[in-house]
Amino acid sequence: MRYRWRLVLGIVFVVLSNYFRVWQPKLIRKGLDYVEDNLEAVQSGRLSSSEVSQSLLYFGGLIIGAALLSGLFMYAMRQTIIVMSRLMEYDVRKDILSKYFELDLAFFKRHPTGDLMARITEDVSKVRMFMGPVILYAINVGFLFVFVIYSMLQVSPLLTFYALLPLPILSVSIYFVSDIINKKSKRIQELLAGLNAFAQEVYSGIRVVKSFANEEVISKHFDNQGAAFQQKSLELARVDAIFRPMMMILIGISTVVTVYQGGLLVVAGEISPGNIAEFVIYVNMLTWPVTAIGWMASLTQQAAASQKRINEYMEMEPEIHSGAFVPTDFVGRIEFDQVSFVYPETGILALDCVSFIIEPGEKVAIVGEVSAGKSTIGELLIRNYDVTSGSIKIDGINIQDYDLSFLRKQFGYVPQVSFLFSDTIAANMRFGNASVTDEALAQMAKNIAIDEDINQLPEGFETLVGERGVTLSGGQKQRVAIVRAFLRAPKIFIFDDSLSAVDTVTEHQILSYLTESLAGKTALIITHRLSPIFSYSRVISLHQGKMVMPA
Ligand SMILES: Nc1ncnc2c1ncn2[C@@H]1O[C@H](COP(=O)(O)OP(=O)(O)OP(=O)(O)O)[C@@H](O)[C@H]1O
Ligand SMILES: [Mg+2]
């Protein structure tokens, strides 16, 4: 473990803190016994009361000193162990994130976003609770028990036995109550998660909700869920309310037993009255940690479950593996050889024995009715998925042999549904290439015919888009996504229906820019309508996953 020295240091602090903690009851006993022993001397005038009060002040000072030292080491142990848990939490989060990036698209299709979020936030927090507070507490309680019980036994084994008698009852009853509390809390958390997910969905789809005037239906559903949540929370509050008084009663019983049995022992001359006070404090020192054992047990269980869920993801292997090949010159001659592809999630045969060759510099249109398999060609080229059979080669080399990152950098891919991040327009465009200058950015915006749209926005390129910013029109979004792809200066372009939301004039302007300025670059243009004014080098026509003669 990376942080084992921190843990060792933390344990040292725990020992010191508890060592000074058990000083306090001992000093109190000494103080009380001192008064008791000298009572006669004061009454008979052999000892002045100012001398007694001075001695008592001395004891008081020592007690405060011990408390301060114990507190100081407690501070130090929290600083080491809790900080350690935070460092580990950070490491685990980073590991999960890099795992997410390593995994392929199919993984993200299979696991809902909420699930991915929950593992990296809640589950990691649960594990941290174990690594920090629970471990800290367990060590602390362990040493406290050793010190306190050792001190108790030194005074009187019999009294120790009586004083500790109610503790097992306390821990067993607490175990049962905390079990009930845990079950209820879990149910509440589930309800809350459902409530959150539902609310999130409604806010995201607020346009649909409003345009269909369906607020009432949604409100009603929300009310029902809210009411269930409320009811469960009230139930929990009730159990919680019984729990505390019950604890107090048990602690009280323990104290009464100690005082009673201790009194008998004092009368028998076996212990001093100060010992009783000492014992009452010991008992109080122990009861609270005992109540925490149930809490620790449940947190440990939760942490174990969370760790299991995290491991499940960490042990997953991506199905798309990177090759090692990085060519010195990459031309971009694409060759599909008998490519068939079945989507693993649905079993749908999206491409069926498709073969074609695209020479460098060709501008090829891919057409076909809906769900003919057009987008699938793009997905396979950038290796979001791997072919089921057949092969795809670029420059004569199977794409699975290329270094994955290198391969993907050769593409400028504009997906069918453009996605813009909640950031400025400029930042969204620079996602394709972070080092582009402002001038080059503006020039590219002009080439793609979106500059006028942007200049009309309040802050031009610095306008925020997405969730917290302005909403761009479908055609504007598409063109921002196109600029993003162009700024990469890739060898091969894939436009997946990327001009569907722009008018024919703009479409023509963009395609002309592509042919004139990017003569050497290969482009696959997936489209539903062949622009009458643009001449493609070739048209590939698909029908239900098969290549057919263009209509
Ligand atoms: N991620 C996916 N998981 C499972 N099946 C998929 C997935 N993507 C597409 N499909 C299925 O594969 C088939 C081909 O889909 P594809 O997206 O390639 O069609 P398309 O020609 O691009 O259609 P459109 O013109 O509507 O965009 C369809 O039947 C579709 O339902
Ligand atoms: Mg498509």
Side-chain angles (χ1 to χ4, degrees):
M1 196 174 85
R2 260 180 74 188
Y3 301 107
R4 65 175 168 277
W5 290 115
R6 267 179 202 272
L7 186 62
V8 169
L9 192 65
I11 293 174
V12 172
F13 288 138
V14 170
V15 173
L16 287 170
S17 167
N18 284 311
Y19 174 72
F20 286 111
R21 235 177 116 186
V22 292
W23 266 33
Q24 298 168 44
K26 285 182 190 165
L27 286 165
I28 288 173
R29 181 238 305 157
K30 284 203 173 112
L32 283 174
D33 286 349
Y34 170 82
V35 175
E36 159 92 10
D37 291 345
N38 293 297
L39 205 56
E40 242 174 87
V42 176
Q43 276 165 352
S44 63
R46 269 183 288 129
L47 197 67
S48 75
S49 56
S50 74
E51 263 175 296
V52 174
S53 79
Q54 245 184 10
S55 305
L56 286 179
L57 276 179
Y58 167 73
F59 279 119
L62 282 183
I63 290 170
I64 292 174
L68 282 178
L69 280 174
S70 164
L72 187 74
F73 287 117
M74 196 186 310
Y75 170 80
M77 85 189 176
R78 291 193 65 86
Q79 278 297 309
T80 37
I81 296 185
I82 302 290
V83 166
M84 173 191 84
S85 73
R86 288 291 182 195
L87 292 172
M88 289 173 71
E89 177 185 33
Y90 174 76
D91 290 348
V92 174
R93 282 228 165 92
K94 248 185 13 190
D95 288 350
I96 298 179
L97 190 68
S98 40
K99 191 71 196 185
Y100 280 176
F101 283 146
E102 200 185 298
L103 291 166
D104 42 61
L105 215 64
F107 166 82
F108 290 92
K109 281 258 156 70
R110 274 199 298 272
H111 299 91
T113 315
D115 204 34
L116 303 182
M117 294 297 295
R119 308 232 172 162
I120 208 164
T121 54
E122 267 170 59
D123 283 336
V124 175
S125 299
K126 292 257 167 68
V127 173
R128 185 203 75 90
M129 278 302 278
F130 175 76
M131 294 315 297
V134 172
I135 285 196
L136 175 87
Y137 218 85
I139 302 172
N140 201 8
V141 167
F143 280 106
L144 186 72
F145 262 73
V146 170
F147 278 117
V148 168
I149 293 179
Y150 176 74
S151 309
M152 286 169 100
L153 287 174
Q154 273 190 326
V155 176
S156 159
L158 187 66
L159 191 54
T160 308
F161 170 74
Y162 281 121
L164 297 185
L165 208 54
L167 285 189
I169 307 171
L170 186 63
S171 41
V172 170
S173 50
I174 282 166
Y175 177 79
F176 283 114
V177 177
S178 36
D179 202 46
I180 299 174
I181 291 183
N182 283 336
K183 284 200 184 114
K184 288 198 187 294
S185 318
K186 204 166 162 212
R187 183 79 196 103
I188 288 174
Q189 264 169 14
E190 282 165 10
L191 284 170
L192 190 64
L195 211 59
N196 277 339
F198 181 68
Q200 200 189 357
E201 177 120 351
V202 171
Y203 302 146
S204 310
I206 192 72
R207 281 155 179 253
V208 183
V209 174
K210 283 196 175 289
S211 60
F212 278 72
N214 263 355
E215 289 95 336
E216 233 171 84
V217 182
I218 303 273
S219 291
K220 208 156 177 183
H221 188 68
F222 205 83
D223 275 353
N224 290 342
Q225 285 200 323
F229 176 71
Q230 183 206 37
Q231 199 208 333
K232 289 283 166 203
S233 303
L234 289 178
E235 277 176 35
L236 179 66
R238 221 166 292 141
V239 179
D240 228 12
I242 300 171
F243 184 55
R244 275 168 205 288
M246 198 177 84
M247 252 175 56
M248 299 303 281
I249 289 173
L250 279 163
I251 295 174
I253 292 174
S254 199
T255 309
V256 169
V257 171
T258 310
V259 173
Y260 176 73
Q261 286 295 334
L264 293 183
L265 288 173
V266 172
V267 173
E270 296 200 6
I271 59 170
S272 70
N275 283 136
I276 297 181
E278 186 183 358
F279 257 69
V280 169
I281 299 175
Y282 286 145
V283 167
N284 276 285
M285 274 182 161
L286 288 187
T287 36
W288 191 59
V290 166
T291 61
I293 289 174
W295 169 80
M296 288 192 289
S298 92
L299 277 184
T300 307
Q301 272 172 12
Q302 289 177 27
S306 288
Q307 185 66 56
K308 209 171 123 197
R309 278 199 291 270
I310 293 174
N311 288 348
E312 234 170 63
Y313 277 8
M314 296 309 282
E315 282 157 14
M316 272 184 196
E317 284 298 325
E319 277 151 42
I320 310 278
H321 293 283
S322 178
F325 183 60
V326 178
T328 40
D329 59 335
F330 183 92
V331 187
R333 179 178 185 273
I334 300 168
E335 188 180 347
F336 271 58
D337 184 15
Q338 300 285 320
V339 171
S340 295
F341 181 68
V342 178
Y343 276 100
E345 301 96 60
T346 53
I348 289 173
L349 178 66
L351 288 180
D352 190 2
C353 281
V354 171
S355 302
F356 57 79
I357 292 174
I358 299 174
E359 296 295 339
E362 275 196 285
K363 311 283 185 280
V364 176
I366 299 175
V367 297
E369 80 281 29
V370 289
S371 73
K374 304 183 296 295
S375 299
T376 307
I377 289 186
E379 302 263 17
L380 292 180
L381 263 174
I382 56 172
R383 287 194 73 201
N384 273 346
Y385 295 92
D386 274 340
V387 295
T388 309
S389 67
S391 68
I392 302 174
K393 289 181 185 145
I394 298 182
D395 296 349
I397 288 155
N398 193 321
I399 54 171
Q400 300 188 9
D401 295 334
Y402 282 99
D403 176 80
L404 191 57
S405 171
F406 170 85
L407 180 79
R408 286 185 178 154
K409 282 190 177 133
Q410 307 313 310
F411 287 95
Y413 176 57
V414 187
Q416 191 158 14
V417 181
S418 349
F419 178 82
L420 299 187
F421 296 98
S422 300
D423 204 336
T424 62
I425 293 182
N428 266 291
M429 291 176 166
R430 282 208 169 90
F431 194 75
N433 182 354
S435 60
V436 153
T437 63
D438 287 350
E439 291 75 38
L441 194 75
Q443 181 57 46
M444 191 57 80
K446 203 165 175 174
N447 296 338
I448 307 301
I450 193 177
D451 55 328
E452 279 170 29
D453 298 60
I454 293 176
N455 290 333
Q456 273 170 13
L457 290 171
E459 282 160 81
F461 280 91
E462 295 307 314
T463 309
L464 279 174
V465 293
E467 280 236 315
R468 287 183 301 271
V470 288
T471 309
L472 297 182
S473 76
Q476 287 171 331
K477 268 200 218 164
Q478 275 192 341
R479 277 171 289 160
V480 171
I482 295 174
V483 172
R484 181 193 281 167
F486 271 91
L487 286 177
R488 291 204 92 161
K491 277 277 172 2
I492 305 167
F493 287 96
I494 303 172
F495 290 156
D496 192 348
D497 219 7
S498 309
L499 299 168
S500 59
V502 300
D503 56 66
T504 34
V505 179
T506 314
E507 179 184 4
H508 187 238
Q509 183 185 337
I510 296 171
L511 289 176
S512 312
Y513 170 72
L514 190 68
T515 6
E516 285 153 24
S517 313
L518 304 167
K521 311 249 172 168
T522 311
L524 275 77
I525 300 148
I526 297 167
T527 179
H528 277 112
R529 78 178 172 213
L530 287 172
S531 166
I533 26 185
F534 183 76
S535 64
Y536 293 97
S537 341
R538 198 141 50 92
V539 176
I540 292 174
S541 185
L542 289 172
H543 176 72
Q544 295 182 354
K546 284 196 176 67
M547 270 177 74
V548 291
M549 288 309 269

